[in-house]
């Protein structure tokens, strides 16, 4: 580039001030450049104050003069200043280059304009999501926690992430912890869920098993509850609490048919209270009534029906039965001639067990 030398300058012996006329010092020269004075000496430019004023060092050595020619020229100080600036800039941003520049962060990563929301590392080997200044989801060693996760296994807040064992899965109904579902009775459960129970529970329906507890109004025992129990022996039971008066359940009712047998035959009991007993037997006598003791007692003789029929085709026979009691019935086996016979008969009794 051409050396700036437009216009003229005025200098004063012993002064560091150079005053220009028609010059454009500002923008065409800078500190560190060389100034060739009217006396032919070379001076260093200390500062450029304006288009017509600059400061030199050492002070002007020649005679005082006005309207003199001059010249300005660049030196290697500019390159030095650039290098120094680059070094300073590099030093300032070295941490950025070594950290975020390589995908490494020492602080939380937040959203511009919403600095309380972002990604962070609350502790060693832990990563978390923050929103509104709270850790919403924290992940460490395969375990999730945070405001968006259940506080405990019975936390029923809507929208929470469920934890292992949530709402009874894998828990005993008599857990006894601070957030336990129950104490010693299944009726103490108030949170909808699926719980294990043992035969030691004072109100267990049968052998150990699993009970499903349902609140008809969420999180409110007063709104009525339903419990369905699945026993390890294959039995199914149900009971309800209607929410009226004290919180108490009705008696357990079987949902699956209850079957049994013995020397007096077989029986089956249905959830609606119906009981059917069957037996194949030969009369104990041919001179008087025989008696069939039911394999399971009925609760009432009202509506109890007993019928039977012969077991052979050699002769037309029929069975007659007297009005039964809840425990047994008297019967006879007849042929068409009106005589009692000893052939085996099939008997069936239908009534109620509750």
């Amino acid at each position: 580039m051409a050396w700036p030398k437009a216009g003229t300058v005025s200098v004063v012996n012993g002064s560091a001030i150079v005053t220009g006329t028609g010059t454009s010092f500002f923008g065409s020269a800078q500190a560190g450049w060389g100034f060739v004075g009217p006396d032919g000496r070379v001076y260093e430019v200390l500062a450029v104050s304006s288009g017509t004023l600059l400061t030199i060092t050492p002070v002007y050595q020649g005679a005082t003069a006005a309207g003199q020619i001059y010249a300005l020229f660049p030196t290697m100080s500019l390159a030095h200043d650039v290098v120094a600036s680059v070094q300073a800039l590099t030093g300032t941003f070295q941490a950025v280059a070594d950290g975020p520049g390589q995908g490494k962060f020492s602080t939380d990563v937040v959203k511009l304009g919403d600095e309380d929301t972002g990604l962070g590392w609350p502790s060693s080997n832990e990563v978390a999501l923050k929103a509104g200044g709270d850790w919403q989801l924290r992940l460490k060693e395969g375990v999730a926690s945070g405001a968006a996760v259940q506080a405990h296994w019975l936390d029923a807040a809507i929208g929470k992430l469920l934890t292992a064992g949530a709402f009874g899965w894998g828990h005993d109904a008599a857990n006894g912890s601070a957030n336990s579902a129950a104490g010693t009775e299944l009726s103490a459960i108030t949170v909808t869920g699926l719980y294990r129970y043992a035969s030691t529970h004072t109100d267990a329906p049968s052998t150990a098993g699993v009970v499903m507890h349902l609140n008809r109004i969420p999180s409110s025992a007063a709104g009525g509850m339903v419990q369905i129990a699945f026993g390890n022996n294959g039995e199914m039971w149900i009971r309800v609490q209607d929410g009226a008066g004290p919180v108490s359940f009705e008696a357990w009712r079987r949902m699956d048919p209850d079957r049994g047998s013995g020397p007096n035959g077989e029986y089956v009991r249905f959830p609606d209270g119906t009981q059917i007993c069957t037996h194949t037997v030969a009369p104990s006598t041919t001179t008087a009534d025989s008696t069939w003791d039911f394999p399971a007692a009925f609760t009432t003789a009202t509506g109890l029906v007993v019928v039977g029929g012969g077991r052979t085709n050699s002769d037309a026979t029929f069975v007659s039965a007297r009005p039964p009691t809840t425990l047994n019935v008297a019967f006879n086996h007849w042929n068409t001639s009106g005589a009692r016979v000893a052939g085996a008969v099939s008997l069936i009794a239908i009534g109620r067990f509750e």
Side-chain angles (χ1 to χ4, degrees):
M1 59 173 289
W3 292 8
K5 46 183 176 280
T8 60
V9 296
S10 297
V11 292
V12 177
N13 179 259
S15 173
I17 302 301
V18 177
T19 303
T21 301
T23 56
S24 56
F25 299 149
F26 199 78
S28 62
Q30 58 182 294
W33 279 34
F35 172 74
V36 181
D39 59 357
R41 295 186 178 90
V42 176
Y43 301 84
E44 178 186 355
V45 176
L46 286 180
V48 179
S49 302
S50 67
T52 59
L53 186 66
L54 57 78
T55 304
I56 61 174
T57 186
V59 296
Y60 189 64
Q61 304 296 306
T64 299
Q68 302 297 305
I69 62 172
Y70 72 98
L72 291 165
F73 62 91
T75 66
M76 289 302 294
S77 64
L78 178 59
H80 173 77
D81 291 343
V82 170
V83 171
S85 297
V86 171
Q87 290 175 335
L89 184 63
T90 301
T92 300
F93 287 93
Q94 188 63 52
V96 176
D98 294 339
Q102 298 185 42
K104 303 174 183 178
F105 301 87
S106 59
T107 60
D108 297 344
V109 179
V110 299
K111 182 182 183 299
L112 182 63
D114 190 10
E115 281 74 12
D116 61 358
T117 299
L119 172 70
W121 301 265
S123 66
S124 177
N125 298 321
E126 182 178 22
V127 64
L129 296 176
K130 179 185 290 186
D134 294 328
W135 294 115
Q136 301 294 328
L137 179 61
R138 300 174 62 155
L139 301 174
K140 184 172 185 176
E141 297 178 351
V143 178
S145 63
V149 181
Q150 280 185 304
H152 52 79
W153 60 283
L154 292 179
D155 183 358
I158 295 175
K160 297 277 189 175
L161 296 178
L162 303 184
T163 59
F167 301 109
W169 285 97
H171 282 278
D172 292 332
N175 187 279
S177 65
N179 297 309
S180 172
T184 59
E185 297 186 355
L186 302 186
S187 58
I189 302 174
T190 58
V191 178
T192 293
L194 189 65
Y195 306 89
R196 293 194 302 247
Y197 70 89
S199 57
T200 54
H201 282 85
T202 57
D203 61 347
S206 60
T207 59
V210 175
V211 62
M212 178 186 296
H213 178 95
L214 301 171
N215 286 336
R216 282 178 269 176
I217 296 179
S219 303
S220 173
M225 299 176 288
V226 177
Q227 287 186 344
I228 302 174
F230 304 87
N232 291 344
N233 57 1
E235 296 177 356
M236 295 176 59
W237 300 79
I238 188 172
R239 67 177 181 175
V240 299
Q241 186 273 320
D242 62 12
V247 177
S248 60
F249 282 90
E250 65 176 22
W252 287 102
R253 290 183 287 119
R254 285 285 295 268
M255 295 177 63
D256 63 307
D258 178 19
R259 300 178 182 274
S261 63
N264 296 325
E266 299 179 347
Y267 71 88
V268 58
R269 288 175 168 176
F270 297 92
D272 65 353
T274 301
Q275 176 173 283
I276 301 176
C277 295
T278 60
H279 193 31
T280 297
V281 63
S284 59
T285 177
T286 57
T287 60
D289 294 343
S290 295
T291 300
W292 173 34
D293 291 326
F294 301 132
F298 293 90
T299 55
T300 177
T302 303
L304 177 57
V305 176
V306 178
V307 296
R311 296 285 297 175
T312 67
N313 294 322
S314 60
D315 192 11
T317 62
F318 66 95
V319 174
S320 65
R322 296 185 182 279
T325 69
T326 59
L327 298 177
N328 54 46
V329 64
F331 72 95
N332 287 281
H333 187 194
W334 307 88
N335 62 20
T336 56
S337 299
R340 293 183 175 93
V341 294
V345 297
S346 293
L347 300 172
I348 181 171
I350 302 175
R352 299 194 62 79
F353 70 92
E354 66 172 25

